[in-house]
Amino acid sequence: AQTVTQSQPEMSVQEAETVTLSCTYDTSESDYYLFWYKQPPSRQMILVIRQEAYKQQNATENRFSVNFQKAAKSFSLKISDSQLGDAAMYFCAYKSGGSNYKLTFGKGTLLTVNP
Amino acid sequence: EAQVTQNPRYLITVTGKKLTVTCSQNMNHEYMSWYRQDPGLGLRQIYYSMNVEVTDKGDVPEGYKVSRKEKRNFPLILESPSPNQTSLYFCASSPRWAGGGGYTFGSGTRLTVV
């Protein structure tokens, strides 16, 4: 079974600075997808960014980018120019590439942004 | 608006009193799933459904039931709730051929069992 590990229960960053959230995963599959979800105090699950395992290029969405290291099974999220609205719980998640639609989540990292 | 609607948003109940949390999606998605979120544990899958009348257990199915009589609805049933089922619950849906995306989550149901 696949597992997802987020080793940082909490992180903090100063507004306008850069922060990196870590995620590692364990799988024997070659075809899969990785996601970062943001959960603000409203509880809504918001997709931040996703990465297809077969793509070598790291995904980027505005201020959010990932460092995908397939051999190391690492998938970190970098948030540049941090804003107060980035404060939230962040979850890393894994999905197999086949017909299994299950998302396997890490335990989450609570990000605080200091003004 | 494309969405997954969960009700209620908050629920406090007593041990043993049967309850149902409803989930409805308006996107004609085949796949629907329930997760529970607990502090320090992330989200864990309870049950999922690949289509009407097709349901299967996830990682933590004990104490829960589901049904999928219509494509749009996927209720979560707790026939005899216990305090260890106090949690935040999410329903999610996805089209069958979503590949690496397409998940839509509901707004969550905060359940407290006393």
Side-chain angles (χ1 to χ4, degrees), chain B residues 4-54:
Chain B
V4 174
T5 303
Q6 279 182 243
N7 281 299
R9 189 162 171 82
Y10 297 91
L11 179 60
I12 301 174
T13 190
V14 296
T15 298
K17 185 177 181 181
K18 181 179 179 179
L19 67 92
T20 299
V21 184
T22 63
C23 174
S24 181
Q25 50 95 2
N26 61 1
M27 297 163 284
N28 202 36
H29 286 172
E30 289 84 4
Y31 177 83
M32 298 185 74
S33 182
W34 278 102
Y35 291 84
R36 62 176 287 172
Q37 179 182 347
D38 301 290
L41 296 178
L43 284 82
R44 295 175 292 166
Q45 189 183 55
I46 303 171
Y47 268 95
Y48 66 95
S49 169
M50 293 301 295
N51 215 325
V52 176
E53 302 292 1
V54 181

Side-chain angles (χ1 to χ4, degrees), chain A residues 55-67:
Chain A
K55 288 188 177 180
Q56 293 186 341
Q57 185 173 5
N58 289 325
T60 299
E61 289 287 343
N62 300 313
R63 298 183 295 107
F64 298 87
S65 61
V66 297
N67 183 4

Side-chain angles (χ1 to χ4, degrees), chain A residues 4-6 8-9 89-92 105-110, chain B residues 37-43:
Chain A
V4 176
T5 302
Q6 293 179 248
Q8 307 150 317
M89 181 71 83
Y90 287 81
F91 291 101
C92 180
F105 288 88
K107 295 181 179 181
T109 297
L110 181 62
Chain B
Q37 179 182 347
D38 301 290
L41 296 178
L43 284 82

Side-chain angles (χ1 to χ4, degrees), chain B:
Chain B
E1 179 189 356
Q3 59 185 353
V4 174
T5 303
Q6 279 182 243
N7 281 299
R9 189 162 171 82
Y10 297 91
L11 179 60
I12 301 174
T13 190
V14 296
T15 298
K17 185 177 181 181
K18 181 179 179 179
L19 67 92
T20 299
V21 184
T22 63
C23 174
S24 181
Q25 50 95 2
N26 61 1
M27 297 163 284
N28 202 36
H29 286 172
E30 289 84 4
Y31 177 83
M32 298 185 74
S33 182
W34 278 102
Y35 291 84
R36 62 176 287 172
Q37 179 182 347
D38 301 290
L41 296 178
L43 284 82
R44 295 175 292 166
Q45 189 183 55
I46 303 171
Y47 268 95
Y48 66 95
S49 169
M50 293 301 295
N51 215 325
V52 176
E53 302 292 1
V54 181
T55 63
D56 207 346
K57 297 177 181 178
D59 296 320
V60 288
E62 295 77 19
Y64 304 95
K65 285 177 58 177
V66 293
S67 69
R68 188 92 181 271
K69 294 184 171 62
E70 303 166 286
K71 196 171 187 178
R72 63 185 296 124
N73 296 323
F74 191 46
L76 179 69
I77 303 158
L78 286 72
E79 296 216 325
S80 184
S82 62
N84 65 12
Q85 293 178 298
T86 292
S87 188
L88 177 59
Y89 292 87
F90 286 97
C91 181
S93 74
S94 169
R96 181 180 285 275
W97 304 115
Y103 291 91
T104 303
F105 283 84
S107 301
T109 296
R110 172 74 68 186
L111 172 66
T112 302
V113 183
V114 298

